[in-house]
PDB file of all heavy atoms in Angstrom:
ATOM      1  N   ARG A 271      44.087 103.901 259.204  1.00 86.00           N
ATOM      2  CA  ARG A 271      43.409 105.150 258.871  1.00 86.00           C
ATOM      3  C   ARG A 271      41.985 104.812 258.459  1.00 86.00           C
ATOM      4  O   ARG A 271      41.751 103.985 257.576  1.00 86.00           O
ATOM      5  CB  ARG A 271      44.133 105.848 257.716  1.00 86.00           C
ATOM      6  CG  ARG A 271      43.456 107.114 257.208  1.00 86.00           C
ATOM      7  CD  ARG A 271      43.597 108.266 258.164  1.00 86.00           C
ATOM      8  NE  ARG A 271      43.058 109.509 257.613  1.00 86.00           N
ATOM      9  CZ  ARG A 271      42.894 110.612 258.321  1.00 86.00           C
ATOM     10  NH1 ARG A 271      43.232 110.627 259.600  1.00 86.00           N
ATOM     11  NH2 ARG A 271      42.406 111.707 257.775  1.00 86.00           N
ATOM     12  N   ILE A 272      41.009 105.432 259.122  1.00 92.00           N
ATOM     13  CA  ILE A 272      39.595 105.135 258.895  1.00 92.00           C
ATOM     14  C   ILE A 272      38.945 106.343 258.238  1.00 92.00           C
ATOM     15  O   ILE A 272      39.022 107.459 258.752  1.00 92.00           O
ATOM     16  CB  ILE A 272      38.877 104.829 260.231  1.00 92.00           C
ATOM     17  CG1 ILE A 272      39.595 103.709 260.983  1.00 92.00           C
ATOM     18  CG2 ILE A 272      37.418 104.491 259.999  1.00 92.00           C
ATOM     19  CD1 ILE A 272      39.286 103.681 262.460  1.00 92.00           C
ATOM     20  N   VAL A 273      38.311 106.115 257.096  1.00 92.00           N
ATOM     21  CA  VAL A 273      37.638 107.199 256.372  1.00 92.00           C
ATOM     22  C   VAL A 273      36.260 106.715 255.948  1.00 92.00           C
ATOM     23  O   VAL A 273      36.125 105.637 255.359  1.00 92.00           O
ATOM     24  CB  VAL A 273      38.444 107.644 255.135  1.00 92.00           C
ATOM     25  CG1 VAL A 273      37.651 108.648 254.310  1.00 92.00           C
ATOM     26  CG2 VAL A 273      39.781 108.249 255.544  1.00 92.00           C
ATOM     27  N   VAL A 274      35.233 107.519 256.240  1.00 94.00           N
ATOM     28  CA  VAL A 274      33.871 107.259 255.768  1.00 94.00           C
ATOM     29  C   VAL A 274      33.483 108.420 254.858  1.00 94.00           C
ATOM     30  O   VAL A 274      33.602 109.587 255.238  1.00 94.00           O
ATOM     31  CB  VAL A 274      32.872 107.144 256.935  1.00 94.00           C
ATOM     32  CG1 VAL A 274      31.457 106.918 256.401  1.00 94.00           C
ATOM     33  CG2 VAL A 274      33.279 106.017 257.884  1.00 94.00           C
ATOM     34  N   THR A 275      33.048 108.093 253.639  1.00 93.00           N
ATOM     35  CA  THR A 275      32.633 109.127 252.684  1.00 93.00           C
ATOM     36  C   THR A 275      31.139 109.007 252.411  1.00 93.00           C
ATOM     37  O   THR A 275      30.547 107.933 252.528  1.00 93.00           O
ATOM     38  CB  THR A 275      33.392 109.004 251.358  1.00 93.00           C
ATOM     39  OG1 THR A 275      33.022 107.781 250.698  1.00 93.00           O
ATOM     40  CG2 THR A 275      34.887 109.034 251.582  1.00 93.00           C
ATOM     41  N   ARG A 276      30.542 110.113 252.018  1.00 92.00           N
ATOM     42  CA  ARG A 276      29.123 110.126 251.676  1.00 92.00           C
ATOM     43  C   ARG A 276      28.946 110.869 250.359  1.00 92.00           C
ATOM     44  O   ARG A 276      29.179 112.075 250.268  1.00 92.00           O
ATOM     45  CB  ARG A 276      28.311 110.810 252.782  1.00 92.00           C
ATOM     46  CG  ARG A 276      26.822 110.980 252.457  1.00 92.00           C
ATOM     47  CD  ARG A 276      26.126 109.650 252.269  1.00 92.00           C
ATOM     48  NE  ARG A 276      24.712 109.819 251.931  1.00 92.00           N
ATOM     49  CZ  ARG A 276      23.925 108.838 251.510  1.00 92.00           C
ATOM     50  NH1 ARG A 276      24.420 107.615 251.358  1.00 92.00           N
ATOM     51  NH2 ARG A 276      22.667 109.061 251.223  1.00 92.00           N
ATOM     52  N   GLY A 277      28.586 110.143 249.308  1.00 89.00           N
ATOM     53  CA  GLY A 277      28.320 110.752 248.019  1.00 89.00           C
ATOM     54  C   GLY A 277      26.840 111.006 247.841  1.00 89.00           C
ATOM     55  O   GLY A 277      26.053 110.950 248.792  1.00 89.00           O
ATOM     56  N   THR A 278      26.430 111.262 246.615  1.00 87.00           N
ATOM     57  CA  THR A 278      25.027 111.569 246.347  1.00 87.00           C
ATOM     58  C   THR A 278      24.125 110.360 246.565  1.00 87.00           C
ATOM     59  O   THR A 278      22.953 110.515 246.891  1.00 87.00           O
ATOM     60  CB  THR A 278      24.866 112.072 244.902  1.00 87.00           C
ATOM     61  OG1 THR A 278      25.430 111.095 244.008  1.00 87.00           O
ATOM     62  CG2 THR A 278      25.590 113.403 244.719  1.00 87.00           C
ATOM     63  N   ARG A 279      24.682 109.139 246.387  1.00 89.00           N
ATOM     64  CA  ARG A 279      23.818 107.970 246.530  1.00 89.00           C
ATOM     65  C   ARG A 279      24.432 106.840 247.351  1.00 89.00           C
ATOM     66  O   ARG A 279      23.788 105.815 247.558  1.00 89.00           O
ATOM     67  CB  ARG A 279      23.448 107.410 245.148  1.00 89.00           C
ATOM     68  CG  ARG A 279      24.627 106.899 244.348  1.00 89.00           C
ATOM     69  CD  ARG A 279      24.210 106.353 242.989  1.00 89.00           C
ATOM     70  NE  ARG A 279      25.343 105.797 242.267  1.00 89.00           N
ATOM     71  CZ  ARG A 279      25.796 104.566 242.423  1.00 89.00           C
ATOM     72  NH1 ARG A 279      25.229 103.762 243.302  1.00 89.00           N
ATOM     73  NH2 ARG A 279      26.822 104.132 241.715  1.00 89.00           N
ATOM     74  N   THR A 280      25.670 107.003 247.807  1.00 94.00           N
ATOM     75  CA  THR A 280      26.298 105.886 248.506  1.00 94.00           C
ATOM     76  C   THR A 280      27.224 106.360 249.619  1.00 94.00           C
ATOM     77  O   THR A 280      27.823 107.436 249.530  1.00 94.00           O
ATOM     78  CB  THR A 280      27.092 105.006 247.515  1.00 94.00           C
ATOM     79  OG1 THR A 280      27.629 103.877 248.186  1.00 94.00           O
ATOM     80  CG2 THR A 280      28.246 105.785 246.897  1.00 94.00           C
ATOM     81  N   THR A 281      27.319 105.539 250.658  1.00 95.00           N
ATOM     82  CA  THR A 281      28.268 105.746 251.755  1.00 95.00           C
ATOM     83  C   THR A 281      29.317 104.647 251.663  1.00 95.00           C
ATOM     84  O   THR A 281      28.982 103.478 251.437  1.00 95.00           O
ATOM     85  CB  THR A 281      27.560 105.676 253.114  1.00 95.00           C
ATOM     86  OG1 THR A 281      26.551 106.688 253.162  1.00 95.00           O
ATOM     87  CG2 THR A 281      28.537 105.898 254.253  1.00 95.00           C
ATOM     88  N   ARG A 282      30.569 105.012 251.854  1.00 94.00           N
ATOM     89  CA  ARG A 282      31.647 104.037 251.734  1.00 94.00           C
ATOM     90  C   ARG A 282      32.583 104.116 252.921  1.00 94.00           C
ATOM     91  O   ARG A 282      32.811 105.188 253.487  1.00 94.00           O
ATOM     92  CB  ARG A 282      32.437 104.267 250.437  1.00 94.00           C
ATOM     93  CG  ARG A 282      31.631 103.982 249.183  1.00 94.00           C
ATOM     94  CD  ARG A 282      32.417 104.279 247.931  1.00 94.00           C
ATOM     95  NE  ARG A 282      31.668 103.903 246.738  1.00 94.00           N
ATOM     96  CZ  ARG A 282      32.074 104.118 245.498  1.00 94.00           C
ATOM     97  NH1 ARG A 282      33.232 104.725 245.286  1.00 94.00           N
ATOM     98  NH2 ARG A 282      31.333 103.734 244.463  1.00 94.00           N
ATOM     99  N   LEU A 283      33.145 102.952 253.272  1.00 95.00           N
ATOM    100  CA  LEU A 283      34.154 102.863 254.316  1.00 95.00           C
ATOM    101  C   LEU A 283      35.479 102.466 253.678  1.00 95.00           C
ATOM    102  O   LEU A 283      35.550 101.498 252.914  1.00 95.00           O
ATOM    103  CB  LEU A 283      33.757 101.813 255.366  1.00 95.00           C
ATOM    104  CG  LEU A 283      34.854 101.427 256.375  1.00 95.00           C
ATOM    105  CD1 LEU A 283      35.205 102.608 257.288  1.00 95.00           C
ATOM    106  CD2 LEU A 283      34.425 100.219 257.213  1.00 95.00           C
ATOM    107  N   PHE A 284      36.535 103.214 254.028  1.00 92.00           N
ATOM    108  CA  PHE A 284      37.894 102.905 253.576  1.00 92.00           C
ATOM    109  C   PHE A 284      38.786 102.713 254.796  1.00 92.00           C
ATOM    110  O   PHE A 284      38.733 103.511 255.740  1.00 92.00           O
ATOM    111  CB  PHE A 284      38.462 104.044 252.727  1.00 92.00           C
ATOM    112  CG  PHE A 284      37.728 104.290 251.443  1.00 92.00           C
ATOM    113  CD1 PHE A 284      36.608 105.120 251.410  1.00 92.00           C
ATOM    114  CD2 PHE A 284      38.159 103.716 250.256  1.00 92.00           C
ATOM    115  CE1 PHE A 284      35.933 105.364 250.223  1.00 92.00           C
ATOM    116  CE2 PHE A 284      37.485 103.950 249.064  1.00 92.00           C
ATOM    117  CZ  PHE A 284      36.369 104.776 249.055  1.00 92.00           C
ATOM    118  N   LEU A 285      39.583 101.672 254.781  1.00 90.00           N
ATOM    119  CA  LEU A 285      40.603 101.451 255.797  1.00 90.00           C
ATOM    120  C   LEU A 285      41.960 101.462 255.106  1.00 90.00           C
ATOM    121  O   LEU A 285      42.200 100.673 254.178  1.00 90.00           O
ATOM    122  CB  LEU A 285      40.384 100.111 256.516  1.00 90.00           C
ATOM    123  CG  LEU A 285      39.073  99.965 257.286  1.00 90.00           C
ATOM    124  CD1 LEU A 285      38.994  98.592 257.947  1.00 90.00           C
ATOM    125  CD2 LEU A 285      38.916 101.071 258.337  1.00 90.00           C
ATOM    126  N   ASN A 286      42.825 102.380 255.539  1.00 83.00           N
ATOM    127  CA  ASN A 286      44.130 102.555 254.899  1.00 83.00           C
ATOM    128  C   ASN A 286      43.999 102.736 253.385  1.00 83.00           C
ATOM    129  O   ASN A 286      44.810 102.237 252.601  1.00 83.00           O
ATOM    130  CB  ASN A 286      45.058 101.369 255.198  1.00 83.00           C
ATOM    131  CG  ASN A 286      45.474 101.317 256.649  1.00 83.00           C
ATOM    132  OD1 ASN A 286      45.378 102.311 257.357  1.00 83.00           O
ATOM    133  ND2 ASN A 286      45.917 100.167 257.098  1.00 83.00           N
ATOM    134  N   GLY A 287      42.944 103.452 252.984  1.00 82.00           N
ATOM    135  CA  GLY A 287      42.744 103.746 251.580  1.00 82.00           C
ATOM    136  C   GLY A 287      42.082 102.648 250.782  1.00 82.00           C
ATOM    137  O   GLY A 287      41.809 102.820 249.591  1.00 82.00           O
ATOM    138  N   ASN A 288      41.794 101.503 251.412  1.00 85.00           N
ATOM    139  CA  ASN A 288      41.191 100.372 250.711  1.00 85.00           C
ATOM    140  C   ASN A 288      39.696 100.309 251.005  1.00 85.00           C
ATOM    141  O   ASN A 288      39.274 100.342 252.167  1.00 85.00           O
ATOM    142  CB  ASN A 288      41.853  99.063 251.148  1.00 85.00           C
ATOM    143  CG  ASN A 288      43.335  99.040 250.825  1.00 85.00           C
ATOM    144  OD1 ASN A 288      43.730  99.346 249.704  1.00 85.00           O
ATOM    145  ND2 ASN A 288      44.159  98.686 251.794  1.00 85.00           N
ATOM    146  N   LEU A 289      38.891 100.181 249.954  1.00 90.00           N
ATOM    147  CA  LEU A 289      37.440 100.126 250.107  1.00 90.00           C
ATOM    148  C   LEU A 289      37.029  98.869 250.869  1.00 90.00           C
ATOM    149  O   LEU A 289      37.438  97.761 250.529  1.00 90.00           O
ATOM    150  CB  LEU A 289      36.778 100.142 248.727  1.00 90.00           C
ATOM    151  CG  LEU A 289      35.250 100.049 248.719  1.00 90.00           C
ATOM    152  CD1 LEU A 289      34.631 101.277 249.372  1.00 90.00           C
ATOM    153  CD2 LEU A 289      34.730  99.877 247.291  1.00 90.00           C
ATOM    154  N   GLN A 290      36.205  99.053 251.898  1.00 93.00           N
ATOM    155  CA  GLN A 290      35.688  97.928 252.680  1.00 93.00           C
ATOM    156  C   GLN A 290      34.245  97.609 252.313  1.00 93.00           C
ATOM    157  O   GLN A 290      33.843  96.451 252.308  1.00 93.00           O
ATOM    158  CB  GLN A 290      35.780  98.243 254.173  1.00 93.00           C
ATOM    159  CG  GLN A 290      37.187  98.547 254.646  1.00 93.00           C
ATOM    160  CD  GLN A 290      38.161  97.427 254.376  1.00 93.00           C
ATOM    161  OE1 GLN A 290      37.969  96.299 254.835  1.00 93.00           O
ATOM    162  NE2 GLN A 290      39.203  97.710 253.612  1.00 93.00           N
ATOM    163  N   PHE A 291      33.456  98.621 252.056  1.00 94.00           N
ATOM    164  CA  PHE A 291      32.106  98.396 251.562  1.00 94.00           C
ATOM    165  C   PHE A 291      31.565  99.678 250.949  1.00 94.00           C
ATOM    166  O   PHE A 291      32.040 100.782 251.233  1.00 94.00           O
ATOM    167  CB  PHE A 291      31.156  97.881 252.655  1.00 94.00           C
ATOM    168  CG  PHE A 291      30.763  98.915 253.689  1.00 94.00           C
ATOM    169  CD1 PHE A 291      29.832  99.906 253.401  1.00 94.00           C
ATOM    170  CD2 PHE A 291      31.307  98.886 254.963  1.00 94.00           C
ATOM    171  CE1 PHE A 291      29.455 100.855 254.353  1.00 94.00           C
ATOM    172  CE2 PHE A 291      30.943  99.827 255.918  1.00 94.00           C
ATOM    173  CZ  PHE A 291      30.018 100.814 255.605  1.00 94.00           C
ATOM    174  N   SER A 292      30.568  99.495 250.093  1.00 95.00           N
ATOM    175  CA  SER A 292      29.795 100.597 249.536  1.00 95.00           C
ATOM    176  C   SER A 292      28.332 100.305 249.841  1.00 95.00           C
ATOM    177  O   SER A 292      27.854  99.188 249.621  1.00 95.00           O
ATOM    178  CB  SER A 292      30.023 100.707 248.028  1.00 95.00           C
ATOM    179  OG  SER A 292      29.244 101.756 247.486  1.00 95.00           O
ATOM    180  N   SER A 293      27.611 101.294 250.342  1.00 96.00           N
ATOM    181  CA  SER A 293      26.255 101.053 250.831  1.00 96.00           C
ATOM    182  C   SER A 293      25.288 100.641 249.724  1.00 96.00           C
ATOM    183  O   SER A 293      24.236 100.067 250.012  1.00 96.00           O
ATOM    184  CB  SER A 293      25.716 102.301 251.544  1.00 96.00           C
ATOM    185  OG  SER A 293      25.640 103.398 250.646  1.00 96.00           O
ATOM    186  N   ASP A 294      25.648 100.909 248.463  1.00 95.00           N
ATOM    187  CA  ASP A 294      24.705 100.549 247.404  1.00 95.00           C
ATOM    188  C   ASP A 294      24.766  99.068 247.029  1.00 95.00           C
ATOM    189  O   ASP A 294      23.875  98.575 246.333  1.00 95.00           O
ATOM    190  CB  ASP A 294      24.895 101.423 246.167  1.00 95.00           C
ATOM    191  CG  ASP A 294      26.314 101.383 245.621  1.00 95.00           C
ATOM    192  OD1 ASP A 294      27.168 100.721 246.235  1.00 95.00           O
ATOM    193  OD2 ASP A 294      26.567 102.018 244.578  1.00 95.00           O
TER     194      ASP A 294
END
Side-chain angles (χ1 to χ4, degrees):
R271 176 73 175 170
I272 305 159
V273 173
V274 178
T275 66
R276 175 62 181 169
T278 55
R279 63 180 183 85
T280 184
T281 300
R282 293 177 176 176
L283 169 66
F284 296 86
L285 298 180
N286 291 341
N288 299 311
L289 178 65
Q290 302 302 302
F291 72 76
S292 178
S293 62
D294 56 357

